[in-house]
Amino acid sequence: MSIMSICTAISGCYWRSPDLLSNRESKSFLKLKAGSSRRPRRAVVTMSMEAGVGVMGTKLGMMSYFQANGEVVPVTVVGFKEGNIVTQVKTEATDGYSAVQVGYQRVRERKLTKPEMGHLQKAGAISMRHLQEFRLLSVDAFQPNQRLVFDQIFQEGDLVDVSGTTIGKGFQGGIKRHNFKRGLMTHGSKSHRQLGSIGAGTTPGRVYKGKKMPGRMGGTKRKIRKLKIVKIDKDLNVVMIKGAVPGKPGNLLRITPAKIVGKNIPKS
C-alpha cells in the first residue's frame, strides 16, 4: 500500500507531492519512508545475574544474640515454611537464558488458579503461593521438584543479600519522607511543616523532575547487601542474620549469596 493510499484512507488527510512539502514536513516524510522497512525489535532479557541459587524465607522479628566471646549482636530471625522447591529449570535452548524458578509457602489448591496449578503439577511440585527466579550461569545441577535446603547452600559466616518489601508508611510530608527541617514554631512564623518554595516563577516556570516533595513513602522493594549469617539453627529451622532486613514480621524475604565482582560475579 502506498503512502498516498494511506493518507486518503484517513479522514481529513490530503496528499501532496514531496516536492511541495515544507522543510519540517519533508523530514517527517523521509522518516516515515525510512521507518516503513524497519524490523520489529526483539525483547531483551535484562534480569541481573545472581552469584548462586538462593531461597525464600519469612521474617520473624529481631533479637539480641550473645556470641561465645560475650559480644551482643543485633540479628534478624528468618524462618522457613514448607517450600523452596524447584518448579522450573530454564535453559538457553528453551527460554533464551539460564535460570531456576523456585516456589515457596504451601497453600491450598483452591487458592491458586488452574494455570498456576497446571504449571506446578507439570513439575510434580506441591501447590505454593510464591514463585521467583534465580538467573544463573549454569543450571546443570538442578532438576524440577528438587528441594533446596538452606544449610546445604549457606554456612555460618557467609555473606548474603536480602531483599524484600519495606514497611509502607502511606502518604507522608517532606519532613518525614525526606528529612527536611521545619520552620520556626514561634516569633510570628507562618511556616511550620509546609514544604515551601518548589521553584522559580517565570524562569523556568515549571517544577524540575525529581523534586523532593510529599508523597507515598515505603512499600517498595529494597535489597540490603553483604549481611553476615550469624547462626543457623536446624532444630528450630531458622537462621539469624546480622542487622536489619526490609519489611515487618511475616514479610517474604529473598536470600541470595552476596555479589562480589571478580569473585563470584564476572567483571563483565
Side-chain angles (χ1 to χ4, degrees), residues 159-204:
L159 299 179
V160 293
D161 294 341
V162 183
S163 59
T165 304
T166 59
I167 299 176
K169 303 291 184 180
F171 193 97
Q172 297 297 332
I175 292 180
K176 179 164 184 167
R177 192 182 186 206
H178 300 295
N179 201 24
F180 288 170
K181 293 182 179 179
R182 63 170 175 80
L184 294 176
M185 301 301 288
T186 57
H187 298 285
S189 174
K190 301 295 184 181
S191 176
H192 305 306
R193 297 179 65 92
Q194 289 87 340
L195 186 64
S197 174
I198 58 174
T202 304
T203 304

Side-chain angles (χ1 to χ4, degrees), residues 3-252:
I3 298 178
M4 182 177 179
S5 59
I6 296 176
C7 288
T8 54
I10 302 175
S11 176
C13 181
Y14 59 93
W15 168 253
R16 284 194 295 171
S17 174
D19 300 333
L20 302 177
L21 298 177
S22 64
N23 187 24
R24 179 178 299 178
E25 290 173 338
S26 62
K27 290 182 179 179
S28 301
F29 173 80
L30 293 175
K31 288 182 180 179
L32 177 62
K33 188 175 181 181
S36 60
S37 61
R38 291 179 181 177
R39 296 180 180 178
R41 295 181 178 180
R42 295 183 62 185
V44 179
V45 179
T46 58
M47 186 192 310
S48 61
M49 192 76 65
E50 297 289 354
V53 69
V55 296
M56 286 175 279
T58 303
K59 180 176 179 178
L60 301 180
M62 293 194 69
M63 60 174 288
S64 297
Y65 178 77
F66 290 84
Q67 293 184 336
N69 57 0
E71 181 182 0
V72 182
V73 179
V75 297
T76 300
V77 183
V78 180
F80 300 98
K81 298 180 180 180
E82 188 174 1
N84 283 321
I85 300 173
V86 177
T87 57
Q88 186 180 4
V89 178
K90 297 189 176 183
T91 61
E92 293 281 350
T94 57
D95 300 276
Y97 65 100
S98 300
V100 175
Q101 186 185 85
V102 180
Y104 177 71
Q105 190 175 348
R106 184 169 190 170
V107 293
R108 297 180 182 178
E109 293 185 1
R110 63 183 181 88
K111 295 287 186 180
L112 303 179
T113 63
K114 288 186 177 180
E116 291 172 339
M117 282 301 305
H119 176 70
L120 295 173
Q121 290 173 357
K122 183 178 180 181
I126 60 176
S127 56
M128 292 173 287
R129 181 184 299 276
H130 305 287
L131 295 178
Q132 290 195 14
E133 280 189 4
F134 300 89
R135 190 177 180 189
L136 307 173
L137 292 173
S138 176
V139 293
D140 298 335
F142 302 96
Q143 56 185 359
N145 205 23
Q146 177 182 348
R147 189 176 298 272
L148 303 178
V149 183
F150 187 87
D151 55 0
Q152 295 179 359
I153 303 175
F154 302 97
Q155 298 178 357
E156 295 181 0
D158 290 350
L159 299 179
V160 293
D161 294 341
V162 183
S163 59
T165 304
T166 59
I167 299 176
K169 303 291 184 180
F171 193 97
Q172 297 297 332
I175 292 180
K176 179 164 184 167
R177 192 182 186 206
H178 300 295
N179 201 24
F180 288 170
K181 293 182 179 179
R182 63 170 175 80
L184 294 176
M185 301 301 288
T186 57
H187 298 285
S189 174
K190 301 295 184 181
S191 176
H192 305 306
R193 297 179 65 92
Q194 289 87 340
L195 186 64
S197 174
I198 58 174
T202 304
T203 304
R206 62 187 177 87
V207 179
Y208 288 123
K209 292 184 178 180
K211 174 67 178 176
K212 293 181 179 180
M213 299 179 68
R216 183 75 63 86
M217 180 180 178
T220 57
K221 184 179 179 181
R222 186 68 55 86
K223 177 186 286 187
I224 310 297
R225 301 188 65 240
K226 297 183 179 180
L227 298 178
K228 184 179 179 181
I229 297 177
V230 178
K231 178 71 174 178
I232 299 177
D233 196 322
K234 298 180 182 180
D235 297 332
L236 298 177
N237 197 24
V238 299
V239 59
M240 301 179 186
I241 301 175
K242 183 178 181 180
V245 300
K248 57 185 179 181
N251 272 19
L252 177 71

